[in-house]
Amino acid sequence: MRRPPALDPVPLVPRWLLAIVVLLVLLGGGTLASRWYAGRRAAGALIEPAGADSTTPRSLGVPYADLQIPSGDHLIHARWVRAARPDTAHTPAAAAAAALAPLAAPAVLLFHGNGTSLAEQAGVQQVLYRAGISSLAFDYSGFGTSGGTASPRALRRDARAAFGVFTDSARSASRRILLGASLGAAVLLDDITDLEAASDGVVLVGTFTSARDLAIRSGRVPDQLARLPRLITWLLPDLYDNVAAIRHLTKPVLIVASVQDSIFPIAGAERLYAAASEPKRLVRLEHTGHDAYLATDESWQPVIAFIKQGPQ
């Protein structure tokens, strides 16, 4: 008996459909790779670590304690300055006596800006110390003598680690305030939902609306690219969207900006202020540029008042 001719098996998936699936997979992988690369480039342009410097609060006559805080698989460097009582002399003996007394003064956790380190925070800690305010300043991963490599993820982890030490050191403080300047404000806002829980208020000094806006303004991203459809601009990851983040803030906030700031124009601070919930306050400084925030007694007055008493 003669057998019928063998038939070719019918493919379960049409070849054209299989080709489309493969193409989509390749496109998806390429898109994710492009976004990852863009994110790495953006982070490298935005976060600029600073080297170590020998300046310390003690160089300015302020006693302090050196701390090494675990953050991931490495340590970050921090300095704790315990407040001096305004009615006592600024002497080693007075500082030693204050160190043994319960901490009742306000305390501030400092998030410093880009291209700076603990050395630049020594002057800030001196001002706070003389105003009767304790402070903890820390260097991000890859900054100063801190270990690790700087990245948005590392800085977020650093912020949480420093905040844990801060809340423990300042557990009996009358008020606990978070103060971020420039990039530091973005690092603070990046995890604000968790960080604000054990704080009484937030101070943002000279910050920007978002990393994407900053990249476009600085020319790192062509304005024509920024106007492309949303699907395309998704390739430009917004590492820090401060306007979106500040909407999650429930504690009082003080925003300090300068009309002379050419790097982060005051219009950005006004957008942040508009997005924030009450109670809030925007302080406009008239005679300071981006590198001169909080450089005068006049600029410190509203900040110290907020730290001690809240929004006025």
Side-chain angles (χ1 to χ4, degrees), residues 35 58 81 137 170 173 207 240 244 248 273 297:
R35 182 173 167 82
R58 191 168 289 117
V81 170
T207 192
Y240 296 108
H248 299 288
Y273 177 77
D297 291 341

Side-chain angles (χ1 to χ4, degrees), residues 46 111-112 140 180-192 204-205 207-211 239-242 245:
L46 180 65
F111 296 74
H112 67 68
Y140 313 121
S182 191
L183 173 67
V187 175
L188 193 171
L189 289 173
D190 189 39
D191 200 25
I192 192 61
L204 306 175
V205 180
T207 192
F208 51 91
T209 53
S210 76
L239 301 178
Y240 296 108
D241 188 342
N242 295 331

Side-chain angles (χ1 to χ4, degrees), residues 178 188-197 202 245-246 248-249:
L178 310 177
L188 193 171
L189 289 173
D190 189 39
D191 200 25
I192 192 61
T193 302
D194 290 333
L195 297 185
E196 72 162 349
V202 170
I246 203 171
H248 299 288
L249 179 61

